[in-house]
């Protein structure tokens, strides 16, 4: 028996002697006790106990001495299962207190947030559905993705048992109709079962979920995915309580089942009328933004409490961070909020690992996409004021209180992020990695884990269908490609709102080119100067447009795209031109505004419907109040249909002293374009008005324009001084450019102190195409940081800049930065091999490896691979190769095959070859960088 098994068995046997009272008295077993019992050295026992802790088999009680107990024994004593990874405690009594609190005789609905406020009516409907004689009423729950439809249905089931309408062991069967919607026959078989021979492959009789749900509840999620024939069979079953299996001709089977269905769609458009008539109770669960602000704040507290419990640490959240989280929810409702909170908690945990008291989450540390939620909420003055009244400077969430959530929660990640963070931090520290780099590395890792998990819940199909009513499929598809390209290349997360805004912009741009009416900006230089990174990205988008549509994009369009990209700036100004849409009819204006809001999110835009019988005077009074309420200081634009409405602007300005302009002949595309530009581009009233008054809708095109620059091209390099390091950086960039192109490009080194003095004179003489160095000079050219050039993708960025400037590239170039830095590093490590001689072979090895893996590593990873391979070759020369001791079966065979092909390059050039064990080590190194 292994040592770890002996220690674990010993702890299990000792733990079995404990009672609940022992736990209350903080009884447990130390490493010293187990060491004495087994005759194993104490430090070896401690090491194995820590291994068992990582395997989540035992519980560790902090204190002196540290005590251990078998986790399964504790769960048996307290009466419920603990979260995975929840195994390090200050005091085990908190678990026992939680167990007691759950015995209160309260209705299951009592625990739902909003039970006495935002969900009160829905709960009354649910209770009526459960109590209606003889067996309850079939129910349809409507709501967007992530509002909690499954939780609500599950609570109805618990309530039915709580009130004895169902037996305690009554089944609750959950079925998602989307799982089989492409195969109606298989779907119906799954619901009702089938008999042997019903279809090819039906080798035996099969029980359906209706049969399994007998005398209980059947929850049919995404019911709109059920084909018409399936809906007909369900409503016949509702009518008669009888059904037949697939392959049977007579409906002679019976089941007593209460059906609860759920859908994200409008029922009248997605379900048969005959089916809907059988469902007397329809419960509409409001989305997150429709819930009272107190409910939303309670959800934030509840989700933070879950994380505090999971990590067993208090969490302190700054008030502005809470506001940002509340405002950050757009597409995913409570599911998205949960994702965002787990993300910020994980990052807070990483940043607070040295702090034993609590995890601190402040506004400054939030990701930019969550920070933007603060600005979204700021535009709703009443809500932001209410939140401010409910919380003062911060929230403090304690780790006490056990989670009360449904079993197998889809939104519960199948991994413990905090454990992942702890393990990886420990591993990187052992490797001697710098603390700042550890934080950056783990932050990226956190994003990957959470976002890859939650992306599957993001449902934007309805938004996509709506946008396709306005722009072409080709434009939208191209916009999706551009979004994906930017996210990968520049490591920026862009919202769906950005996607739709880009699609609308491209359609508008095509239309403008067709009518030869481009937009002119007065302040172009300032826009570029203030947003150099966005400008750099806009050049890439411009290139992609030109390649896709074979046109020359005007230079001004770069400014437009820069403004669009600036919408993801976390510190953007929230003062915007307000828009009010007025139109005759009972819902004309509201319909147009609703479409705009669904596509682009909340903006400062509201509708006033003007029924024909209402007097203009009454509408004017209403409009004046609305203008006062919405104005943020930048004025108001009225979009109206006709008649007296066009004359309102001057009257309102006189009475309120707020600038108001009017555009008539309003249409849905005009409203969308107005909200888009006001929301995203932060235009002033005159610019917005001028850009919209000749708006012709969204359309297609072809076309051309040329630009030229006669000045000699230059790249400036910036270091702390104009000599020394700056000259070395200049030499490095010169070597890169010689490798890239035959065209002459001047490299000019500048020290930080003389930057402002020299930059203007350089701009007068040269066309600066890029700057490289330790500080961004904020000029009208892309900037590449020294870190990016050395460790990231700075060299590839230079290639793109060269291409955008229509400079001819050499047919093939090597990674100059990688080559030079590797050669310098290997000079320190190698004794027998000459780094200058083998560096070209190593570069060929890397090229072949990247080509076979279809992967472009960043410079940091390239350098790491090449230095490792160089050292491995030296080990081959002196016959001291490493021996791989881990499980070789876990190594990716595809990666290993690619390494063997690259290894052949070394063999052909040096008559040396890396042995299989060395290849295994390299494959393991590549594991986290290869997506399979």
């Amino acid at each position: 028996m292994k040592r770890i098994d002996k220690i674990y068995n010993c702890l299990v046997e000792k733990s079995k002697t404990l009672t609940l009272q022992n736990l209350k008295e903080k009884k447990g077993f130390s490493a010293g006790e187990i060491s004495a019992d087994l005759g194993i050295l104490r430090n070896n026992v401690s090491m194995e106990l820590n291994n068992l802790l990582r395997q989540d088999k035992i519980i560790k009680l902090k204190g002196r001495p540290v005590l251990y107990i078998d986790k399964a024994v504790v769960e048996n004593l307290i009466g419920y299962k603990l979260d995975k990874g929840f195994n390090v405690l200050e005091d085990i009594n908190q678990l026992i207190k939680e167990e007691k609190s759950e015995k209160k005789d309260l209705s299951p609905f009592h625990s739902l947030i909003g039970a006495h406020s935002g969900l009160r009516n829905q709960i009354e409907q649910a209770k009526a559905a459960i109590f209606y004689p003889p067996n309850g009423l079939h129910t349809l729950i409507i709501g967007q993705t992530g509002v909690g439809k499954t939780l609500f249905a599950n609570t109805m089931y618990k309530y039915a048992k709580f009130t004895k309408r169902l037996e305690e062991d009554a089944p609750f069967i959950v079925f998602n109709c989307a799982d089989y919607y492409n195969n109606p026959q298989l779907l119906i078989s799954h619901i009702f079962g089938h008999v042997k021979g019903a279809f090819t492959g039906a080798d035996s009789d099969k029980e359906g979920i209706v049969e399994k749900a007998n005398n209980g509840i059947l929850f049919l999620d995404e019911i709109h995915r059920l084909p018409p024939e399936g809906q007909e069979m369900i409503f016949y079953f509702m009518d008669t309580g009888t059904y037949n299996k697939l392959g049977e001709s007579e409906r002679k089977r019976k089941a007593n089942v209460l059906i609860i269905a759920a859908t994200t769609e409008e029922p009248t458009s997605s379900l048969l009328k005959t089916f809907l008539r059988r469902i007397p109770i329809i419960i509409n669960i409001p989305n997150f933004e429709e819930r009272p602000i107190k409910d939303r704040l309670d959800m934030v507290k509840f989700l933070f409490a879950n994380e505090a419990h999971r990590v067993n640490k208090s969490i302190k959240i700054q008030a502005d961070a809470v506001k940002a989280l509340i405002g950050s929810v757009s597409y995913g409702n409570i599911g998205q909020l949960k994702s965002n909170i787990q993300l910020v908690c994980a990052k807070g945990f990483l940043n607070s690992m040295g702090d034993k008291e609590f995890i601190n989450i402040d506004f400054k540390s939030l990701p930019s996409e969550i920070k933007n939620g603060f600005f979204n909420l700021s535009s709703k003055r009443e809500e932001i004021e209410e939140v401010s009244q409910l919380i003062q400077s911060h929230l403090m969430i304690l780790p006490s209180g056990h989670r009360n959530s449904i079993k197998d929660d889809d939104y519960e990640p199948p991994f413990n992020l905090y454990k992942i963070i702890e393990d990886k931090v420990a591993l990187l520290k052992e490797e001697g990695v710098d603390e700042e780099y550890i934080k950056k590395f783990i932050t990226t890792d956190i994003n990957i884990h959470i976002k890859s998990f939650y992306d599957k819940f993001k449902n934007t199909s309805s938004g996509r269908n709506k946008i396709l009513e306005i722009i072409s499929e080709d434009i939208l598809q191209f916009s999706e490609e551009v979004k994906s390209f930017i996210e990968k290349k520049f490591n920026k997360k862009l919202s769906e709102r950005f996607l739709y805004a880009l699609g609308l912009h491209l359609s508008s741009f095509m239309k403008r080119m067709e009518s030869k009416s481009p937009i002119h900006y007065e302040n172009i230089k300032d826009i570029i100067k203030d947003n150099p990174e966005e400008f750099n990205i806009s050049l890439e988008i411009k290139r992609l447009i030109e390649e896709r549509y074979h046109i020359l994009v005007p230079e001004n369009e770069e400014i437009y795209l820069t403004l669009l990209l600036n919408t993801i700036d976390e510190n953007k100004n929230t003062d915007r031109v307000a828009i009010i849409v007025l139109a005759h009819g009972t819902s004309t204006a509201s319909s147009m505004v609703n479409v705009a809001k669904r596509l682009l999110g909340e903006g400062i835009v509201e509708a006033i419907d003007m029924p024909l019988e209402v007097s203009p005077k009454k509408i004017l009074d209403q409009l004046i109040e609305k203008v006062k309420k919405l104005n943020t200081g930048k004025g108001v634009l009225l979009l109206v249909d006709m008649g007296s409405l066009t004359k309102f602007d001057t009257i309102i300005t006189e009475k309120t002293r707020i600038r108001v302009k009017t555009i008539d002949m309003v249409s849905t595309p005009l409203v969308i374009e107005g909200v888009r530009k006001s929301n995203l581009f932060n235009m002033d009233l005159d610019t917005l008005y001028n850009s919209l008054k000749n708006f012709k809708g969204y359309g297609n095109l072809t076309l051309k324009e040329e630009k030229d620059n006669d000045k000699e091209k230059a790249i400036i390099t910036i270091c702390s001084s104009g000599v020394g390091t700056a000259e070395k950086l200049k030499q490095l960039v010169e070597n890169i450019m010689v490798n890239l192109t035959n065209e002459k490009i001047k490299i000019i080194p500048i020290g930080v102190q003389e930057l402002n003095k020299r930059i203007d004179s350089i701009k007068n003489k040269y066309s600066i195409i890029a700057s490289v160095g330790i500080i961004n000079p904020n000029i009208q050219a892309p900037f590449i940081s020294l870190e990016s050039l050395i460790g990231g993708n700075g060299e590839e960025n230079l290639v793109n800049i060269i291409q955008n400037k229509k400079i001819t590239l050499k047919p093939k170039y090597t990674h100059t930065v990688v080559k030079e830095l590797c050669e310098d590093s290997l000079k320190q490590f190698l004794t027998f091999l000459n780094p200058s001689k083998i560096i070209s072979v190593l570069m060929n090895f890397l090229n072949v490896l990247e080509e076979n893996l279809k992967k472009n590593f960043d410079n940091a990873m390239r350098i790491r691979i090449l230095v490792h391979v160089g050292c491995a070759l030296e080990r081959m020369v002196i016959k001291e190769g490493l021996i791989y001791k881990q499980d070789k079966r876990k190594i990716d065979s595809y990666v290993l095959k690619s390494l063997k092909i690259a290894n052949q390059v070394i063999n052909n050039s040096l008559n040396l070859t890396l042995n299989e064990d060395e290849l295994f080590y390299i494959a393991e190194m590549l594991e986290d960088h290869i997506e399979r």
Side-chain angles (χ1 to χ4, degrees):
M1 183 184 292
K2 291 182 180 177
R3 182 175 66 194
I4 190 171
D5 295 328
K6 288 181 183 178
I7 292 168
Y8 179 59
N9 289 342
C10 177
L11 182 61
V12 170
E13 291 305 315
K14 292 174 84 68
S15 298
K16 285 178 181 178
T17 65
L18 297 176
T19 64
L20 191 61
Q21 186 59 37
N22 293 147
L23 292 188
K24 292 177 184 178
E25 294 165 359
K26 303 180 183 178
K27 293 285 180 67
F29 307 97
S30 68
E33 288 178 70
I34 297 172
S35 169
D37 284 356
L38 296 176
I40 299 174
L41 288 175
R42 187 182 181 284
N43 60 337
N44 287 338
V45 172
S46 294
M47 181 182 70
E48 298 297 7
L49 285 170
N50 282 322
N51 287 333
L52 290 167
L53 192 69
R54 276 192 284 273
Q55 294 171 22
D56 202 38
K57 288 184 174 181
I58 65 175
I59 282 178
K60 175 181 176 180
L61 295 176
K62 293 181 179 179
R64 291 191 177 182
V66 174
L67 301 177
Y68 299 90
I69 316 171
D70 177 51
K71 190 172 184 180
V73 169
V74 171
E75 288 173 336
N76 188 49
L77 289 172
I78 63 176
Y80 61 87
K81 197 164 182 64
L82 296 171
D83 284 339
K84 190 173 182 182
F86 186 71
N87 54 11
V88 180
L89 302 173
E90 297 282 353
D91 184 357
I92 208 161
N93 272 312
Q94 66 189 78
L95 302 181
I96 300 164
K97 287 176 186 175
E98 290 159 17
E99 186 266 340
K100 283 181 178 178
S101 67
E102 295 205 1
K103 291 181 179 178
K104 289 182 181 178
D105 194 25
L106 294 171
S107 159
F109 281 119
H110 181 80
S111 63
L112 285 184
I113 292 171
H116 304 292
S117 50
L119 291 180
R120 184 173 53 192
N121 293 336
Q122 287 81 356
I123 288 172
E124 291 306 313
Q125 285 180 283
K127 288 179 177 178
I130 296 297
F131 267 110
Y132 195 86
N135 299 313
L137 293 173
H138 303 302
T139 303
L140 177 64
I141 302 174
I142 303 170
Q144 295 178 4
T145 301
V147 296
K149 297 185 296 296
T150 303
L151 174 61
F152 196 87
N154 191 279
T155 309
M156 288 178 68
Y157 164 67
K158 288 179 180 176
Y159 181 76
K161 293 197 297 178
F162 175 79
T163 57
K164 309 300 182 187
R165 298 292 287 182
L166 288 179
E167 297 294 327
E168 189 56 39
D169 60 350
F172 180 72
I173 305 297
V174 179
F175 178 70
N176 192 315
C177 300
D179 292 344
Y180 296 93
Y181 83 101
N182 279 325
N183 191 333
Q185 186 185 51
L186 195 57
L187 189 149
I188 294 165
S189 162
H190 207 84
I191 293 174
F192 294 106
H194 63 250
V195 295
K196 184 177 179 180
F199 52 86
T200 304
D203 300 327
S204 60
D205 288 1
K206 180 188 173 185
E207 182 184 37
I209 57 174
V210 165
E211 191 173 345
K212 291 177 183 176
N214 189 28
N215 294 318
I217 290 177
L218 172 60
F219 177 54
L220 297 174
D221 200 6
E222 296 198 64
I223 188 74
H224 57 275
R225 297 294 191 97
L226 205 60
E229 59 267 37
Q231 292 182 39
E232 287 172 355
M233 292 177 77
I234 288 284
F235 77 62
Y236 188 91
F237 171 66
M238 288 177 177
D239 282 348
T240 65
T242 63
Y243 67 99
N244 61 288
K245 290 187 175 183
L246 193 65
E248 291 179 335
S249 56
E250 294 183 21
R251 291 186 176 93
K252 57 185 179 181
R253 298 180 183 271
K254 290 186 177 182
N256 176 26
V257 176
L258 181 64
I259 290 176
I260 301 175
T263 180
T264 55
E265 302 293 312
E266 174 59 42
T268 53
S269 63
S270 57
L271 297 172
L272 297 175
K273 290 180 181 177
T274 47
F275 180 78
L276 276 177
R277 282 201 292 269
R278 268 75 177 182
I279 302 182
I281 298 281
I282 295 181
I283 299 174
N284 200 323
I285 306 293
N287 62 37
F288 185 76
E289 289 187 344
E290 291 169 346
R291 300 285 289 270
I293 200 72
K294 186 178 183 305
D295 285 6
R296 284 183 262 171
L297 183 57
D298 285 344
M299 288 174 198
V300 169
K301 291 177 180 177
F302 171 75
L303 293 171
F304 269 118
N306 288 353
E307 299 309 307
H309 176 83
R310 193 192 310 274
V311 76
N312 194 33
K313 219 174 188 184
S314 296
I315 303 175
K316 181 180 180 182
I317 315 106
Q318 191 185 67
D320 285 349
V322 175
K323 293 169 188 173
L325 283 161
I326 291 173
S328 70
V329 177
S330 54
Y331 64 84
N333 293 290
I334 301 163
Q336 184 192 5
L337 177 66
K338 184 172 185 177
S339 161
N340 289 348
I341 284 175
Q342 287 177 335
L343 177 63
V344 300
C345 283
K347 289 185 175 180
F349 177 73
L350 175 64
N351 294 331
S352 308
M353 283 190 72
D355 188 341
K356 294 182 180 178
E357 291 185 20
F358 56 79
I359 294 170
N360 187 48
I361 295 170
D362 58 18
F363 181 79
K364 188 170 62 176
S365 66
L366 299 179
S368 59
E369 63 215 62
I370 295 177
K371 274 185 186 169
N372 286 340
F374 179 85
F375 305 120
N376 292 340
L377 193 66
S378 296
S379 64
K380 304 165 191 173
R381 295 180 184 177
E382 292 176 7
E383 293 187 357
I384 198 92
E385 287 171 8
E386 194 176 344
V387 175
S388 298
Q389 289 171 3
L390 291 168
I391 55 173
Q392 300 303 313
S393 62
H394 66 271
L395 279 179
M396 180 63 85
I397 307 293
L398 302 177
S400 57
H402 189 60
R403 296 188 312 130
N404 180 22
S405 60
I406 64 172
K407 189 180 178 183
D408 301 325
D409 179 4
D410 284 340
Y411 285 94
E412 194 62 38
F415 45 78
N416 186 319
L417 259 183
Y418 305 107
K419 196 68 184 162
I420 290 172
I421 292 168
E422 282 187 324
D423 288 348
K424 293 202 173 183
V425 166
L427 184 65
L428 289 169
K429 279 185 176 177
E430 283 178 16
E431 294 293 322
V433 178
D434 175 72
E435 191 168 324
E436 195 58 35
Y437 177 79
I438 289 175
K439 285 192 176 180
K440 288 180 182 176
F441 177 87
I442 300 295
T443 298
T444 304
D445 208 46
I446 292 167
N447 280 302
I448 291 169
H449 274 88
I450 287 189
K451 296 200 173 179
S452 63
F453 176 71
Y454 280 100
D455 276 350
K456 66 183 179 180
F457 297 108
K458 188 170 180 178
N459 180 5
T460 55
S461 59
S462 58
R464 196 177 195 281
N465 292 335
K466 289 188 189 314
I467 200 77
L468 285 173
E469 294 173 9
I470 302 166
I471 67 175
S472 68
E473 174 78 42
D474 176 65
I475 288 283
L476 182 55
Q477 186 179 350
F478 174 63
S479 301
E480 289 169 335
E481 292 170 9
V482 170
K483 176 176 177 285
S484 177
F485 173 82
I486 294 171
E487 289 180 328
K488 287 179 183 174
K489 180 151 189 171
F490 295 92
N491 194 27
K492 277 188 175 293
K493 184 63 184 172
L494 301 173
S495 65
E496 297 303 309
R497 208 174 290 178
F498 168 85
L499 172 66
Y500 299 149
L502 177 62
L504 292 167
H505 167 66
L506 289 176
S507 287
S508 176
F509 161 68
M510 297 295 191
K511 193 76 173 177
R512 278 189 282 110
M513 291 291 286
E514 195 172 26
S515 60
K516 299 182 179 177
S517 56
I519 286 181
H520 296 284
Y521 280 89
E522 302 281 333
N523 212 7
I524 288 178
K525 289 185 179 177
D526 284 345
I527 291 165
I528 295 173
K529 183 179 178 181
D530 293 342
N531 304 283
E533 187 180 10
E534 286 77 9
F535 177 68
N536 189 10
I537 299 174
S538 76
L539 295 175
E540 288 284 357
I541 300 177
K542 177 183 170 185
R543 178 180 64 79
L544 293 170
I545 295 171
E546 289 177 336
E547 287 178 1
R548 175 66 166 262
Y549 295 104
H550 307 292
I551 61 174
L552 288 172
V553 178
E555 188 171 354
N556 258 11
E557 206 57 32
E558 297 164 358
I559 311 308
Y560 220 149
L561 292 167
T562 300
L563 286 168
L564 177 61
L565 286 157
N566 193 40
T567 63
I568 59 175
D569 180 9
E570 58 201 51
N571 298 311
K572 64 181 180 182
N573 194 334
T574 57
D575 293 341
R576 310 168 198 165
V577 176
I579 295 175
I580 300 175
V581 181
L582 299 92
H584 291 83
T586 55
S587 62
T588 308
S590 298
S591 297
M592 289 188 277
V593 168
N594 285 339
V595 171
K597 283 186 174 181
R598 286 191 180 185
L599 289 176
L600 300 175
E602 291 292 337
I604 307 181
V605 55
E606 289 198 16
I608 296 180
D609 296 307
M610 186 175 173
L612 297 175
E613 65 273 12
V614 177
S615 70
K617 172 69 171 65
K618 187 173 180 180
I619 291 294
L620 177 60
D621 292 340
Q622 186 182 348
L623 183 55
I624 287 172
E625 290 306 311
K626 191 81 76 175
V627 166
K628 288 178 182 176
K629 177 186 173 185
L630 296 182
N631 178 47
T632 64
K634 299 195 75 169
V636 178
L637 180 67
L638 305 182
L639 302 180
V640 306
D641 57 354
M642 59 183 179
S644 59
L645 301 180
T646 60
K647 310 298 183 186
F648 281 173
D649 51 6
T650 53
I651 300 170
I652 296 169
T653 300
E654 286 173 10
K655 292 196 173 190
T656 64
R657 299 197 175 186
I658 296 171
R659 291 194 69 220
V660 179
K661 282 183 169 285
T662 304
I663 295 176
D664 61 1
M665 303 296 288
V666 66
S667 63
T668 300
L670 180 65
V671 175
I672 292 169
E673 187 73 356
V675 174
R676 180 173 75 88
K677 287 178 175 174
S678 168
N679 238 10
L680 305 180
F681 296 159
N682 197 24
M683 291 181 175
D684 59 39
L685 180 59
D686 290 326
T687 306
L688 181 59
Y689 172 80
N690 291 328
S691 71
L692 291 177
K693 65 182 181 181
N694 295 317
F695 178 68
K696 305 296 183 187
Y698 302 108
N700 287 323
L701 149 110
T702 54
L703 230 143
K704 63 168 189 226
E705 190 186 292
E706 300 262 355
K707 60 174 182 174
D708 55 88
N709 193 338
D710 296 329
K711 295 178 184 176
E712 183 181 352
K713 295 178 177 62
I715 295 174
I716 59 172
T717 59
I718 306 157
C719 275
S720 53
S721 70
V723 294
T725 309
E727 286 293 337
K728 193 164 186 180
L729 179 58
K730 173 192 172 185
Q731 184 182 353
L732 179 59
V733 175
E734 279 179 341
N735 291 343
I736 293 171
M737 299 315 293
V738 166
N739 218 3
L740 291 180
T741 179
N742 291 320
E743 190 165 329
K744 183 180 178 183
I745 296 173
K746 183 81 171 175
I747 312 299
I748 305 171
I750 309 179
V752 171
Q753 292 180 341
E754 58 177 352
L755 183 61
N756 294 331
K757 294 178 185 176
R758 292 191 58 193
I759 203 73
D760 287 335
S761 62
I762 293 172
K763 284 198 286 187
N764 290 334
K765 185 175 179 181
Y766 297 96
S767 170
I768 302 175
I769 64 171
S771 59
V772 180
I774 64 170
I775 189 171
N776 188 343
N778 292 320
I779 57 176
Q780 188 178 337
F783 169 70
I784 297 170
S785 69
L786 189 59
E787 292 86 355
S788 175
L789 187 71
I790 302 300
N793 295 310
E795 198 167 348
E796 282 82 352
N797 290 346
L798 270 177
V799 172
N800 292 324
I801 291 165
I802 295 295
Q803 289 176 316
N804 285 332
K805 293 297 178 182
K806 307 296 188 291
I807 298 171
T808 305
L809 281 172
K810 285 184 176 180
K812 194 171 184 179
Y813 64 91
T814 56
H815 298 284
T816 307
V817 174
V818 173
K819 186 176 180 181
E820 293 196 5
L821 292 179
C822 275
E823 191 172 338
D824 285 346
S825 297
L826 288 171
K827 284 175 183 176
Q828 301 173 40
F829 295 119
L830 302 186
T831 304
F832 298 96
L833 293 174
N834 185 338
S836 302
K837 299 287 185 184
I838 68 167
I839 189 65
S840 58
V841 177
L842 294 175
M843 293 301 294
N844 287 338
F845 171 91
L846 178 65
N847 291 337
V848 171
L849 181 61
E850 288 186 321
E851 184 180 330
N852 277 278
L853 291 174
K854 298 179 175 58
K855 173 76 176 177
N856 289 320
F857 298 110
D858 62 20
N859 282 0
M861 189 60 190
R862 288 181 180 124
I863 292 167
R864 186 179 169 198
I865 293 169
L866 293 181
V867 171
H868 183 101
V869 173
C871 294
L873 285 174
E874 176 121 324
R875 288 194 290 271
M876 294 299 96
V877 170
I878 61 177
K879 295 184 171 40
E880 290 185 3
L882 300 175
I883 298 172
Y884 189 78
K885 296 180 180 178
Q886 306 304 315
D887 189 350
K888 295 181 179 181
R889 293 170 299 179
K890 292 183 179 179
I891 296 295
D892 191 320
S893 59
Y894 176 75
V895 173
L896 195 61
K897 182 181 177 183
S898 300
L899 281 168
K900 287 179 178 178
I901 295 170
N903 195 17
Q904 196 59 46
V905 171
I906 296 173
N907 190 24
N908 294 341
S909 302
L910 302 176
N911 200 25
L912 272 175
T913 186
L914 297 173
N915 65 27
E916 194 174 61
D917 287 272
E918 292 283 2
L919 294 180
F920 278 124
Y921 272 107
I922 301 170
E924 188 179 65
M925 182 199 307
L926 296 174
E927 192 173 282
D928 290 335
H929 295 265
I930 304 296
E931 296 176 6
R932 298 287 289 138

